[in-house]
Amino acid sequence: MAQKYSRVDGKKSSSCSAATIVVIVGVCLVGVWMFMSSSFAPGQNLVLPAPDSKTLSKGKVSTNPAIQFEDNSGDLPEDAMKDGINNQETTQGGEDANTDEKASSEEEPSRTEAEDTDGKSNDEEPTLRNEKDVEKNTGDEYSSDSDENKKSKSEDRNSSSDFEVEKSKSDESQEKTEKEEENSSDKKTESDSDSDSEVEKSEPEEAKDKSQSEEKVEKQEQKTEENSGDKKTESFTAAGAQSEILNETRTETGAFSTQATESASEKESQKQATLKNEDGYTWKICNVTTGPDYIPCLDNIAALKKIHSTLHYEHRERHCPDESPTCLVPLPKGYKTPIRWPKSRNQIWYNNVPHTKLAAVKGHQNWVKVTGEYLSFPGGGTQFKNGALHYIDFIQKSLPDIAWGKRTRVILDVGCGVASFGGYLFERDVIAMSFAPKDEHEAQVQFALERGIPAISAVMGTLRLPFPSKIFDVVHCARCRVPWHIEGGKLLLELNRVLRPGGYFVWSATPVYQNKTEDVEIWKAMTKLTKAMCWELVVIYNDKLNEVGAAIYRKPTSNECYENRQQNDPPLCENNDDPDAIWNVELQACMHKIPVDASVRGTNWPKTWPQRLESPPYWLKSTEVGVYGNPAPEDFTADYEHWKHVVSKSYLNGLGIDWSSIRNVMDMRSIYGGFAAALNDLNVWVMNVVPLDSPDTLPIIYERGLFGIYHNWCESFSTYPRSYDLLHADHLFSDLKKRCKLVSVIAEVDRMLRPEGKLIVRDNAETIAEIENMAKSLHWNVKFSYNKEKEGLLCVEKTLWRPTEVETLAYTFL
């Protein structure tokens, strides 16, 4: 060996001392080569560990400090901090991470060694899963971990702690590491021609180093376990089996059928398809007549041309295109981050909703005014020019039994205008499902949503409203211009369907307090109709300040009046007519009987608010199977506890969301409304959506004092673009992939979300990866991404990015 290296130096070993020097130099060079080649393999982006620290195991690494979850034995496991939080430096970081993973996967021997030093082997994983299955069978929702799991989690904590130390190193240190890695790769290549004996010599030293490293790891584990005491952190897998996912059971004998089953006219499911090319997802901007305000199912001009009559407002109903669009809606010029609630109730940015027609037409009624760069809302309306709060309190004064925020919690506001009535009901602990058509009163619902007030675009036309029966405590109509009395009272009978027995209908309209010929005729017709419907006229009040009046009717709580009528007009519905089937079901000019069985929904009024939020409805039977396979009342309670746990332990602190910027929230697949209930203390409102093919639990959501709607996610939602600050999808997308184009659903998500809005997805790992790739292709920021044991959690943030290519949707043009 000495002679070899002396030839390289161009000298001969002429003496003993010279030979000794050459030998020493040669040994040093060999040692350097062995150290570099055994430390890490070429292609691995390895950060050198700090003294007494443990080298990180494989997987994506958080850019957020793991310590933020140390006190949270909650929804997110601590190893999620290693495997997937991505903060603001998103897309580029994700690409780098993927590149590193690919390079690392090509070096199987090195990866195996890293796994061994991590204290885990692949053979151990099935055992851990079996232990968690045993814990699940015990029925403990948040069961404690076994000793082996404690040790495994302690290792995860050590790894996260070491990462914090390593992250404190400067970029200069990382660059140095990369250079050393490159040198190592070069030296290893050059040394391939050396004898095998040199490699064999390095192995004992490598084993010795590895043994010393393992001793350090064990000492660190013991120290960590001593410091952590009895602290236990549930893993994502255990939570998925017990509380995190709340596994659903799909049994035909369950308590809840689906809306798709109930409604015979549900549209045929669309075929699954993809919109990918070799380079990834391709996005284009929508070229449509309505531009930034495009609502696909309401702006289908081609479908409207085929309508033979508009007498029943058919042209204002949903007419969805054959294929949901996959293009992106453009932003209004000069769009700004929306003003936050509650300031937004009074003013919004003009550029965000640049429409002035309503201000010109209704400005004198204090609907909306243009004030510089703002649109301002004085809080008035046609019936309450001097303010909504005065109007709300006057109703309470006229009818104390209405008891805003106690007996009355959820109302339906028909023809809501800019929804100031619903906006000020929040101060009385009342939530309003407000709706109005997309008509000549330009952007009224869009104004409401931009203000932070719940509203949807809808009309009372030929089809039932997308709500179950007997769910609204009060129905309100202030100058809503709906002809209630025509065609046998078909439209008023639809309100009767959705109104609770014992609920009130507040009709604030000119026929109540004016004596014009037309008003008098309408009043007579309404009086006749409401008596035939067995509605009791409770009170007529006159508001002298606003110079308006209102008639308040009460729906009966028994069938006695129906049975004593001399004429069956309006008729009672047939016994086989399901009042809860709504999807594309035509209106019927009939009344459904009042339930008489004390155990059936609709016979008793819910508990007062807020007690009703946490209490299972009285009509949930223990003999019926709930969505998750337990007795229905237990299912309800478990769901509520689960979402309180997830929201408090993870969502509020762990996803990097500034909740003070969140106002409009949608739960795209709600079961019992537990997610919305868990957010009750925040300054937000939640639209709970029950998909057509999900268990029909929407009546439960209303019973607990929340609201929601049925919807088919293979179609567009009836809302304006940029309506919501946060969308939440719990195991929705994996199911949708079976029935419709997932890319069109994501395009709809993009349409509904405001820029800087968040999407939280909980789903299987395959779907999470697919959604994350789509989000990156949309230039969204990945705030959090984590998956383990085939389940995952993703949080992404929409940006202002819009594509440059254009797609013209011909059916939106005349």
Side-chain angles (χ1 to χ4, degrees):
M1 181 70 73
Q3 187 176 3
K4 174 181 177 181
Y5 281 96
S6 66
R7 284 199 299 269
V8 171
D9 293 336
K11 298 178 181 179
K12 294 182 180 180
S13 53
S14 58
S15 66
C16 179
S17 59
T20 303
I21 294 173
V22 170
V23 168
I24 294 173
V25 172
V27 171
C28 291
L29 291 174
V30 171
V32 169
W33 172 81
M34 288 191 298
F35 172 78
M36 297 299 293
S37 62
S38 62
S39 296
F40 52 88
Q44 287 181 307
N45 185 16
L46 182 65
V47 179
L48 293 178
D52 296 329
S53 66
K54 178 182 174 183
T55 303
L56 282 175
S57 63
K58 63 177 180 177
K60 291 187 287 185
V61 182
S62 165
T63 57
N64 279 3
I67 196 169
Q68 64 177 312
F69 285 95
E70 286 185 358
D71 296 329
N72 297 340
S73 60
D75 170 62
L76 300 177
E78 293 187 11
D79 58 356
M81 300 305 98
K82 298 190 305 178
D83 293 342
I85 297 182
N86 300 301
N87 244 340
Q88 298 299 330
E89 59 260 339
T90 53
T91 305
Q92 184 65 43
E95 292 173 355
D96 293 343
N98 292 337
T99 303
D100 293 341
E101 284 187 16
K102 182 177 179 181
S104 178
S105 64
E106 295 173 356
E107 301 295 333
E108 291 300 332
S110 298
R111 173 168 287 190
T112 303
E113 292 171 6
E115 290 174 353
D116 291 340
T117 59
D118 209 19
K120 299 177 183 178
S121 67
N122 292 334
D123 295 334
E124 290 180 85
E125 292 181 2
T127 305
L128 294 177
R129 284 196 291 271
N130 291 336
E131 290 173 352
K132 291 168 185 173
D133 290 339
V134 172
E135 292 175 357
K136 175 182 176 183
N137 293 335
T138 63
D140 294 334
E141 187 169 2
Y142 304 110
S143 57
S144 59
D145 298 324
S146 65
D147 292 339
E148 293 182 11
N149 286 342
K150 287 181 184 178
K151 182 177 180 180
S152 176
K153 291 177 181 180
S154 175
E155 293 168 357
D156 286 344
R157 285 193 291 272
N158 286 339
S159 192
S160 296
S161 176
D162 294 340
F163 173 65
E164 291 174 35
V165 175
E166 292 176 24
K167 282 296 291 181
S168 66
K169 295 185 177 181
S170 63
D171 294 337
E172 181 181 344
S173 175
Q174 294 179 355
E175 292 175 1
K176 180 179 178 181
T177 303
E178 292 172 358
K179 291 179 180 179
E180 289 176 350
E181 179 183 356
E182 293 174 359
N183 294 336
S184 169
S185 178
D186 294 337
K187 289 183 179 180
K188 182 175 181 179
T189 303
E190 293 173 0
S191 63
D192 286 343
S193 59
D194 292 341
S195 65
D196 294 337
S197 62
E198 295 177 51
V199 177
E200 291 174 0
K201 290 179 181 179
S202 70
E203 290 178 354
E205 296 183 20
E206 180 181 355
K208 182 179 179 181
D209 293 340
K210 182 176 178 182
S211 176
Q212 293 175 350
S213 176
E214 288 177 347
E215 290 179 3
K216 290 181 179 179
V217 169
E218 289 178 0
K219 291 179 180 179
Q220 279 190 322
E221 289 174 353
Q222 294 174 0
K223 184 177 180 180
T224 303
E225 289 179 0
E226 291 174 0
N227 293 336
S228 62
D230 295 331
K231 176 182 171 184
K232 300 179 179 64
T233 305
E234 69 175 354
S235 72
F236 191 92
T237 312
Q242 299 163 23
S243 65
E244 173 69 8
I245 304 304
L246 287 180
N247 298 320
E248 297 178 29
T249 176
R250 294 229 175 201
T251 59
E252 295 182 359
T253 58
F256 312 108
S257 62
T258 67
Q259 183 58 222
T261 302
E262 295 165 351
S263 303
S265 57
E266 179 192 3
K267 292 186 176 181
E268 184 179 354
S269 299
Q270 300 180 21
K271 295 181 180 180
Q272 183 180 8
T274 58
L275 191 68
K276 279 188 176 182
N277 58 29
E278 295 179 356
D279 299 324
Y281 294 93
T282 300
W283 303 101
K284 297 181 180 180
I285 206 79
C286 296
N287 179 22
V288 293
T289 54
T290 48
D293 301 332
Y294 176 50
I295 305 177
C297 292
L298 299 182
D299 295 328
N300 188 351
I301 306 300
L304 297 180
K305 287 181 179 179
K306 300 177 182 179
I307 296 176
H308 301 295
S309 172
T310 60
L311 294 177
H312 299 93
Y313 303 94
E314 293 91 341
H315 58 303
R316 305 298 184 193
E317 294 181 322
R318 289 170 57 84
H319 299 279
C320 299
D322 294 335
E323 291 190 7
S324 296
T326 56
C327 54
L328 308 181
V329 177
L331 296 177
K333 186 177 180 180
Y335 181 84
K336 298 181 180 180
T337 301
I339 297 172
R340 296 187 179 186
W341 181 270
K343 186 178 180 181
S344 63
R345 183 172 61 182
N346 301 324
Q347 63 179 24
I348 62 175
W349 296 114
Y350 168 78
N351 284 339
N352 288 11
V353 192
H355 301 295
T356 59
K357 182 176 180 180
L358 199 61
V361 174
K362 297 291 186 179
H364 66 288
Q365 297 175 352
N366 283 342
W367 278 37
V368 56
K369 298 179 182 294
V370 180
T371 309
E373 60 181 344
Y374 300 103
L375 291 168
S376 61
F377 300 85
T382 305
Q383 297 300 99
F384 36 91
K385 291 177 287 187
N386 291 287
L389 271 179
H390 169 79
Y391 175 78
I392 292 168
D393 292 339
F394 199 89
I395 294 175
Q396 169 94 27
K397 182 178 179 181
S398 302
L399 183 63
D401 286 347
I402 209 161
W404 296 126
K406 294 181 180 179
R407 183 183 189 271
T408 298
R409 165 62 181 175
V410 188
I411 78 166
L412 179 68
D413 189 17
V414 183
C416 63
V418 296
S420 289
F421 180 64
Y424 282 90
L425 276 171
F426 281 108
E427 296 191 15
R428 301 294 180 262
D429 271 343
V430 177
I431 55 175
M433 173 68 75
S434 302
F435 74 91
K438 185 177 183 181
D439 58 10
E440 64 274 8
H441 283 169
E442 190 178 54
Q444 51 189 339
V445 167
Q446 190 175 17
F447 283 139
L449 290 162
E450 184 71 14
R451 297 172 68 189
I453 303 172
I456 59 170
S457 290
V459 66
M460 298 199 70
T462 65
L463 304 175
R464 286 179 175 176
L465 294 171
F467 313 115
S469 67
K470 307 180 292 292
I471 45 98
F472 288 107
D473 305 333
V474 167
V475 176
H476 173 260
C477 170
R479 288 286 286 273
C480 49
R481 302 191 305 166
V482 177
W484 302 115
H485 58 288
I486 67 172
E487 298 185 342
K490 183 181 293 186
L491 299 181
L492 194 62
L493 290 168
E494 173 63 2
L495 295 189
N496 184 74
R497 182 185 71 86
V498 300
L499 185 61
R500 289 186 188 279
Y504 295 104
F505 173 57
V506 180
W507 187 40
S508 177
T510 55
V512 178
Y513 58 90
Q514 289 186 358
N515 294 319
K516 296 179 181 179
T517 302
E518 182 183 5
D519 292 327
V520 171
E521 291 178 356
I522 294 175
W523 174 255
K524 289 180 179 179
M526 278 289 287
T527 300
K528 180 181 178 180
L529 176 61
T530 52
K531 284 184 178 180
M533 292 171 58
C534 294
W535 281 12
E536 175 190 1
L537 179 58
V538 180
V539 65
I540 298 178
Y541 76 81
N542 291 300
D543 183 352
K544 293 182 180 180
L545 178 63
N546 285 310
E547 298 179 343
V548 298
I552 303 179
Y553 300 88
R554 186 172 185 264
K555 181 179 176 178
T557 56
S558 71
N559 295 309
E560 182 179 357
C561 177
Y562 297 155
E563 296 168 353
N564 294 332
R565 291 185 305 166
Q566 294 180 354
Q567 294 181 343
N568 188 30
D569 185 25
L572 293 176
C573 299
E574 298 292 334
N575 291 334
N576 61 356
D577 189 303
D578 185 357
D580 295 315
I582 60 88
W583 197 253
N584 291 336
V585 174
E586 293 186 358
L587 292 177
Q588 301 292 321
C590 64
M591 296 183 298
H592 297 89
K593 287 185 177 180
I594 305 297
V596 294
D597 187 343
S599 63
V600 175
R601 180 171 66 88
T603 54
N604 296 319
W605 198 263
K607 293 181 179 181
T608 58
W609 179 263
Q611 286 75 23
R612 63 193 281 186
L613 179 69
E614 302 181 357
S615 304
Y618 67 90
W619 40 269
L620 279 185
K621 301 179 180 64
S622 298
T623 55
E624 294 177 327
V625 179
V627 175
Y628 305 116
N630 301 313
E634 297 178 15
D635 243 25
F636 175 95
T637 302
D639 179 81
Y640 184 37
E641 293 299 323
H642 159 67
W643 286 114
K644 285 196 300 182
H645 180 75
V646 169
V647 168
S648 64
K649 299 298 184 182
S650 297
Y651 285 8
L652 295 185
N653 302 309
L655 300 184
I657 296 175
D658 176 10
W659 285 89
S660 65
S661 67
I662 305 297
R663 173 61 182 173
N664 304 354
V665 179
M666 176 185 285
D667 192 0
M668 298 178 69
R669 183 177 178 269
S670 183
I671 302 297
Y672 297 115
F675 171 65
L679 294 176
N680 183 60
D681 293 334
L682 300 182
N683 227 349
V684 304
W685 60 269
V686 181
M687 178 69 75
N688 293 281
V689 180
V690 174
L692 294 189
D693 60 337
S694 292
D696 188 3
T697 53
L698 193 52
I700 299 174
I701 292 171
Y702 277 93
E703 191 79 5
R704 68 190 307 184
L706 306 170
F707 61 31
I709 193 171
Y710 294 116
H711 185 58
N712 175 10
W713 281 117
C714 290
E715 299 176 358
S716 176
F717 193 78
S718 291
T719 191
Y720 281 86
R722 304 169 301 279
S723 294
Y724 288 88
D725 301 303
L726 187 144
L727 301 181
H728 182 260
D730 181 20
H731 287 77
L732 170 69
F733 296 121
S734 56
D735 182 64
L736 286 177
K737 289 194 299 183
K738 305 171 186 176
R739 300 186 291 110
C740 48
K741 296 179 181 178
L742 188 57
V743 69
S744 66
V745 180
I746 297 303
E748 176 65 3
V749 167
D750 177 271
R751 193 186 70 86
M752 292 190 297
L753 264 184
R754 294 170 170 175
E756 299 180 2
K758 314 300 188 295
L759 169 66
I760 301 175
V761 183
R762 316 175 74 85
D763 221 309
N764 61 53
E766 178 186 358
T767 303
I768 289 291
E770 191 171 355
I771 300 298
E772 184 173 355
N773 288 336
M774 288 190 191
K776 289 179 179 178
S777 71
L778 286 164
H779 296 256
W780 290 8
N781 295 326
V782 180
K783 306 281 289 183
F784 183 95
S785 179
Y786 176 75
N787 63 78
K788 184 176 182 180
E789 300 289 348
K790 299 182 180 181
E791 291 294 332
L793 176 62
L794 175 70
C795 179
V796 292
E797 178 184 69
K798 178 181 174 180
T799 65
L800 289 166
W801 178 83
R802 296 288 88 178
T804 56
E805 294 187 60
V806 174
E807 178 181 353
T808 299
L809 302 181
Y811 56 81
T812 69
F813 291 88
L814 293 174

